[in-house]
Every structure is written in structure tokens, then in C-alpha cells.
């Protein structure tokens, strides 16, 4: 089935540093999404990307939809303590005869920030 | 997590027992899904449904059954629990069309001993 490879699996950085993570897939997706999950809660949507080459920002977060539609990256600039958490990429694509939308997640990147 | 109600939040089962995780949403979303989350594995899709009466398998369907008799409810059944099913389970719903805000339940922590 469709799988997403997300890297790195974990990051340990100093407060104020920039962060970069990415996802790749063997399949083409028509939407890429980035989520953040805090302990004990479900993932929360950060950024949604709808077309190849799209570059979108949300405050200190910037994400891009790869031209091949098989990859995406997320950058966080000037990290702060509240950025700590697990970040997931997700691809959304049509599967099956009925073209049902399916959402598949990457393995996650655990971000730890040293003050 | 407004709109998606998931129960129970915590459950301990013995190997071989059966149970059902309940999920309900009141947003009239057609798409609902169940994920399990294990350390280092991210969220893996178990089953999903694109509407009442329609279900399909995700990445890790073995050991789980689902049904979708109404738009609102999407229960996940474990017929004979195994320790490998110890995990955190999330129910999610997504509106059809361009909107991509996925609504998650609060999660169910399941331990099989």
C-alpha cells in the first residue's frame, strides 16, 4: 500500500535554531498535509498544500509540495519551546474505483528543544 | 477535537477478549477512519469509510472489523484481542471536497495483557 517515509525521526536542537524535515513517497498524492501532535492529543493541522510546486507559509512554518508530487518538506524558523512535539506529514490521494480519498501518515518527527 | 466523540479513553483487555471502540461525529462528514499509533510508527490507517454502507481496508486491517450503518457512527471491533494490538487508537473524520481539516477524536489507550 501507499507509504510515506518521513525524516528525520527525531531532532534535538537549541532554541532559536531553524528546523527542516521532509517526507517522500513512492506514490503520487494530490494533497500534502503537515500536522503537529502534542502529548495525549490528536494531530492538529498546520499547513495544507494542494498543487505541485506550491510553497505555503503559516507564521514561522513554511512547507512545499514537491514538483513530482511525491515529496514535501516543512521548515520551522527560529524555534521556540512551544514547537516541541511530534510532526507528521500526510498524503491524501484518490484510491479505488470510486476514487475515495485516503489519508496516509508518515512516521513522525519528534522535535525536542533545549532552552 | 470538537465534533468527534471517541470512547472509551482507556481500556485494559485480556488476550482473547473482544471489545468495540466507539466513534461518532455530528458534522455530517462522509469520510471516517481509524488509525493506530505506536511509538516510532506514526499513524497507521486501519480501516476507512467513504460513506454509510461503504468500508475499506487501510494499511493494517488484520484483527479489526468495522461497519458504517449510519453517517454518524464508525465503530471499530476487536474480535479476539492480542498483545500486538496494544496501542493508541484515533478515530478521524474529514469533510468531502476541498476542505482538509481532519477532525480527530481524543484517542483511546488500549492495553492487551
Amino acid at each position: 500500500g501507499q507509504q510515506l517515509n518521513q525524516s528525520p525521526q527525531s531532532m534535538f536542537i537549541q532554541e532559536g535554531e531553524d528546523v527542516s524535515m521532509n517526507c517522500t513517497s513512492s506514490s503520487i498524492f494530490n494533497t500534502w498535509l503537515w500536522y503537529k501532535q502534542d502529548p495525549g492529543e490528536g494531530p492538529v493541522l498546520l499547513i495544507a498544500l494542494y498543487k505541485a510546486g506550491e510553497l505555503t507559509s503559516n507564521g514561522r512554518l513554511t512547507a512545499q509540495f514537491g514538483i513530482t508530487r511525491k515529496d514535501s518538506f516543512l521548515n520551522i524558523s527560529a524555534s521556540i519551546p512551544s514547537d516541541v512535539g511530534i510532526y507528521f506529514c500526510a498524503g491524501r490521494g484518490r484510491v479505488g474505483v470510486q476514487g475515495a480519498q485516503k489519508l496516509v501518515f508518515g512516521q513522525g518527527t519528534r522535535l525536542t528543544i533545549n532552552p | 477535537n470538537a465534533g468527534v466523540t471517541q470512547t472509551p479513553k482507556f481500556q485494559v483487555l485480556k488476550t482473547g477478549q473482544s471489545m468495540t471502540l466507539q466513534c461518532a461525529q455530528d458534522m455530517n462528514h462522509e469520510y471516517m477512519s481509524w488509525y493506530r499509533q505506536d511509538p516510532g510508527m506514526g499513524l497507521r490507517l486501519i480501516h476507512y469509510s467513504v460513506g454509510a454502507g461503504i468500508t475499506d481496508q487501510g494499511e493494517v486491517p488484520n484483527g479489526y472489523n468495522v461497519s458504517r450503518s449510519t453517517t454518524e457512527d464508525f465503530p471499530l471491533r476487536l474480535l479476539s484481542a492480542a498483545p500486538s494490538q496494544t496501542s493508541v487508537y484515533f478515530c478521524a473524520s474529514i469533510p468531502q471536497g476541498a476542505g482538509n481539516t481532519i477532525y480527530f477524536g481524543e484517542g483511546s489507550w488500549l492495553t492487551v495483557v
Side-chain angles (χ1 to χ4, degrees):
Chain A
Q2 296 172 309
Q3 291 196 357
L4 298 183
N5 294 313
Q6 184 173 349
S7 64
Q9 290 189 4
S10 60
M11 301 184 72
F12 298 85
I13 63 170
Q14 297 293 122
E15 183 177 350
E17 289 185 4
D18 296 342
V19 173
S20 183
M21 59 192 78
N22 68 83
C23 269
T24 60
S25 171
S26 58
S27 303
I28 291 175
F29 290 105
N30 54 37
T31 303
W32 279 93
L33 307 164
W34 285 92
Y35 291 85
K36 179 176 183 277
Q37 184 180 26
D38 293 323
E41 298 184 9
V44 175
L45 181 66
L46 298 174
I47 291 180
L49 303 159
Y50 300 104
K51 55 185 179 182
E54 179 180 355
L55 184 70
T56 297
S57 294
N58 178 9
R60 294 178 294 105
L61 277 61
T62 302
Q64 185 161 29
F65 192 143
I67 293 177
T68 64
R69 297 169 64 190
K70 293 183 178 181
D71 62 303
S72 177
F73 72 75
L74 174 71
N75 288 339
I76 305 173
S77 62
S79 59
I80 60 177
S82 62
D83 290 335
V84 166
I86 303 176
Y87 292 80
F88 292 99
C89 63
R92 187 172 180 181
R94 294 193 176 277
V95 294
V97 175
Q98 296 182 349
Q101 292 276 346
K102 194 166 79 170
L103 192 65
V104 180
F105 284 81
Q107 302 97 323
T109 297
R110 183 180 296 274
L111 180 62
T112 302
I113 299 176
N114 298 318
Chain B
N1 295 331
V4 179
T5 303
Q6 186 180 336
T7 58
K9 192 167 181 70
F10 299 99
Q11 182 73 50
V12 178
L13 285 178
K14 294 182 178 179
T15 297
Q17 284 186 317
S18 63
M19 77 157 298
T20 299
L21 299 178
Q22 302 289 345
C23 180
Q25 52 92 10
D26 59 1
M27 298 170 285
N28 203 33
H29 291 169
E30 294 188 2
Y31 185 100
M32 296 184 73
S33 55
W34 276 101
Y35 293 87
R36 61 176 288 174
Q37 185 174 29
D38 303 296
M41 299 294 288
L43 287 153
R44 292 185 293 170
L45 182 64
I46 304 172
H47 285 284
Y48 67 99
S49 168
V50 299
I54 306 171
T55 64
D56 205 349
Q57 296 181 349
E59 302 168 75
V60 287
N62 293 338
Y64 307 95
N65 284 346
V66 292
S67 60
R68 188 91 180 272
S69 57
T70 66
T71 299
E72 294 78 18
D73 300 297
F74 190 46
L76 178 73
R77 297 185 185 87
L78 285 71
L79 297 179
S80 180
S84 62
Q85 293 178 303
T86 294
S87 187
V88 182
Y89 293 84
F90 286 98
C91 175
S93 73
I94 309 174
Q96 201 73 342
N100 284 296
T101 300
I102 185 170
Y103 295 84
F104 282 93
E106 294 184 339
S108 296
W109 275 254
L110 177 64
T111 301
V112 183
V113 297

